[in-house]
Amino acid sequence: MSTDPTTTGDAATIAAATDDALLTSVVTDDATTLTRVPLSALPGWRVLDVLWRGPAHPARWLVAVDGDRAVVLTGHPERWDALATDAEVTTAEQAVELAVVCTDATHDRSKGYQRLSHVDEIRWLPRPGDEQRQRIEQVRADPADRIGPACAVGEGPWTVTTRVRVGDAVERLDVEVHHDGSTSATSTLEAEGLPVPQVH
């Protein structure tokens, strides 16, 4: 297992406290990395991006840790709502952090999911055909100027805009973030039919 220095001891906590059997079995594996995710609006909790690069497909979880408690957020959007009740958002930067973690924690990853800050982050088919190559170039040219890092407008509540790829589609998400950490999101389809690997 490799971690950044701020996550020392968290793998053991997750292994002991989580209810996810696969995560428990791999969190201390050499093929697993733990990376702390910035979220200063939620004091006490550390949110970790846990990535296991297994022999077949990699697996990824967002997990919140506080003392000897571990809450697996990925696949459990209702847990995010309970966790965020302790939030206090005072700046646009905190609003962006919270909206990003909320987006990553509450999206269904079973069809393939990426939060995007640049069009070239989209994982395309490794060997596309001619029509698929044309579609890739079209997508690169069309929504490319709109895809960028998450950003916030407003003075509280804030609206945080980001793009995600879900399956073969790119969506724009506008997440309204309030001072108490509550959020609401609207989604706009910006591209679909992308030539990307299918998740089974």
Side-chain angles (χ1 to χ4, degrees), residues 33 35 49-53 58-62 74 109 123:
T33 58
T35 306
D49 183 344
V50 181
L51 174 61
W52 175 59
R53 299 187 182 279
R60 192 169 215 150
W61 299 264
L62 276 185
T74 301
R109 299 184 180 224
R123 293 189 287 269

Side-chain angles (χ1 to χ4, degrees), residues 32 44 54 60 87 95 106 110 116 133 163-164 169 184-185 189 193:
T32 301
R60 192 169 215 150
T106 58
S110 64
L116 302 170
R133 277 195 296 272
R163 265 80 180 183
V164 297
S184 60
L189 182 66

Side-chain angles (χ1 to χ4, degrees), residues 55-167:
H57 299 288
R60 192 169 215 150
W61 299 264
L62 276 185
V63 184
V65 177
D66 179 17
D68 60 358
R69 294 184 295 168
V71 179
V72 179
L73 299 172
T74 301
H76 301 281
E78 74 285 356
R79 295 179 182 176
W80 168 257
D81 292 338
L83 196 74
T85 58
D86 295 331
E88 183 179 344
V89 185
T90 59
T91 67
E93 290 77 14
Q94 288 181 326
V96 169
E97 289 178 355
L98 190 129
V100 163
V101 174
C102 176
T103 297
D104 287 352
T106 58
H107 265 78
D108 180 4
R109 299 184 180 224
S110 64
K111 297 179 181 178
Y113 166 81
Q114 284 181 278
R115 184 169 37 81
L116 302 170
S117 58
H118 193 280
V119 70
D120 288 335
E121 292 174 347
I122 298 174
R123 293 189 287 269
W124 306 105
L125 285 173
R127 292 180 293 279
D130 291 340
E131 289 186 12
Q132 292 168 331
R133 277 195 296 272
Q134 290 176 3
R135 180 64 177 139
I136 290 170
E137 292 308 313
Q138 180 186 20
V139 172
R140 280 181 170 152
D142 182 18
D145 60 340
R146 300 191 297 269
I147 298 176
C151 60
V153 296
E155 297 180 357
W158 298 266
T159 299
V160 178
T161 300
T162 188
R163 265 80 180 183
V164 297
R165 179 187 67 81
V166 181

